[in-house]
Amino acid sequence: MADIRNRIAEVVGAQSAEQIIHILEEEGAQRCRDTNCIRLRPHSRLSVHRWRHVAVAPLSPGVLGRRCLTCGQPSWRRIHRTGRTIR
């Protein structure tokens, strides 16, 4: 974390860097509660998310059915179910 702190301090100054690091630490400690994120295991707000979206055409045929152009997953996967919560 010291390396990141130094890099931020070079850009915005020491006092602002401390404030930014404090905000990032708080966000890292908070759990993600976004209803469009489909990750099953608990993770922080700063972690990588997998967002729900509508399957985008043209849907190319595949072994397991038609595939979404955006993510490449079959269109029946839960990542394409919008408006429903998993939790």
Side-chain angles (χ1 to χ4, degrees):
M1 193 68 149
D3 184 43
I4 294 172
R5 187 180 317 260
N6 293 338
R7 290 177 58 198
I8 293 173
E10 288 175 7
V11 176
V12 297
Q15 186 176 7
S16 296
E18 290 301 321
Q19 293 172 347
I20 291 170
I21 295 296
H22 180 69
I23 291 170
L24 290 174
E25 287 173 348
E26 285 179 355
E27 289 294 314
Q30 296 292 323
R31 282 190 162 173
C32 173
R33 300 210 185 282
D34 193 326
T35 57
N36 285 325
C37 180
I38 64 164
R39 285 188 53 185
L40 293 175
R41 295 204 163 100
H43 61 282
S44 75
R45 289 183 184 175
L46 298 178
S47 297
V48 175
H49 300 278
R50 293 190 63 200
W51 303 109
R52 292 176 199 235
H53 61 275
V54 177
V56 178
L59 302 174
S60 61
V63 177
L64 299 175
R66 303 233 178 254
R67 295 186 169 275
C68 173
L69 181 66
T70 302
C71 65
Q73 298 289 326
S75 60
W76 52 265
R77 298 283 303 263
R78 67 188 178 96
I79 195 167
H80 299 115
R81 295 181 198 151
T82 58
R84 292 176 25 182
T85 58
I86 294 174
R87 296 176 178 111

